[in-house]
Amino acid sequence: MHDPGDPGGSGDSGREDSLPGDPRSGDSGRNDSGRNDSETDASGMDHLPLGGDELEEELRRAAGLFDPVPAHLVEIAVAAFTVRTVDTELAELLFDSLAVAAAEPVRGGDQPRLLTFGWPGATIDLEITATGGRNRVAGQVLPPGPARIETRGARAVTVTADPLGRFALDEVLPGAFSVRCVRGPDAFTTEWITI
């Protein structure tokens, strides 16, 4: 045991009150890998080195404090991630009346936006009508037949297409939007669009 009256630190080098790395204790402070168990940062503060997982968690925490992700982006990302499926194929955008209208202005006021997406053996037509800050989406899956239609975006909604492949969605919020169509064992998802 260390004698408080012994300022020179003489005595047993393996005494209980010495700390790792204390030169008086004979402990070099190095672990089996040859690195110091504790290191000093630029502020002069001792800290233990962080492993990969600990460092990642510290960086994630710091980023959350100093530059948080906006809540609406988190909601969109979670919605997109939760409805993803590996077995779903991506349907290609074949027609968009918005692109045609930009190239060839037509007469008339607000016209519904018409879209066609194609997937091997099937197409899905959408008609999007703006109604006071919300949208109405009417659609049809071809060839005709019942199908489960799931929307992806600000609010997920699931409806069933009738025997002719028709369906309608009211109160669709503006923003990123996609549709997933499930027919028996087959499923396809439209590309993301902004409505």
Side-chain angles (χ1 to χ4, degrees):
M1 195 59 142
H2 176 68
D3 178 10
D6 183 8
S10 62
D12 185 12
S13 65
R15 57 185 185 215
E16 295 176 26
D17 62 341
S18 63
L19 298 173
D22 186 346
R24 295 176 294 165
S25 70
D27 180 7
S28 69
R30 298 199 178 271
N31 60 24
D32 293 338
S33 67
R35 294 183 331 192
N36 287 337
D37 286 331
S38 66
E39 298 175 1
T40 304
D41 65 12
S43 67
M45 301 290 292
D46 284 340
H47 64 89
L48 295 175
L50 297 176
D53 292 338
E54 293 89 3
L55 178 60
E56 180 181 350
E57 184 58 35
E58 279 296 310
L59 291 172
R60 186 181 319 278
R61 190 179 64 75
L65 289 173
F66 297 111
D67 189 20
V69 177
H72 72 282
L73 291 181
V74 171
E75 291 173 12
I76 291 171
V78 168
F81 184 78
T82 57
V83 295
R84 68 175 172 71
T85 58
V86 175
D87 59 343
T88 301
E89 298 292 329
L90 186 64
E92 179 183 2
L93 178 62
L94 301 175
F95 175 79
D96 184 350
S97 64
L98 193 62
V100 172
E104 303 171 11
V106 293
R107 282 189 228 158
D110 295 328
Q111 299 292 322
R113 182 177 180 186
L114 305 175
L115 301 125
T116 300
F117 295 90
W119 182 70
T123 60
I124 185 167
D125 295 320
L126 301 176
E127 178 181 289
I128 302 170
T129 307
T131 57
R134 309 248 182 198
N135 297 287
R136 181 175 198 284
V137 178
Q140 183 174 22
V141 181
L142 298 170
R148 187 175 76 236
I149 307 298
E150 303 167 356
T151 65
R152 305 183 313 156
R155 186 178 69 177
V157 177
T158 301
V159 297
T160 302
D162 69 14
L164 296 176
R166 300 175 302 187
F167 62 92
L169 304 158
D170 292 313
E171 303 290 318
V172 178
L173 299 173
F177 177 80
S178 177
V179 172
R180 180 172 186 253
C181 176
V182 181
R183 300 176 83 175
D186 296 324
F188 64 90
T189 302
T190 66
E191 295 179 23
W192 286 93
I193 60 167
T194 301
I195 60 172

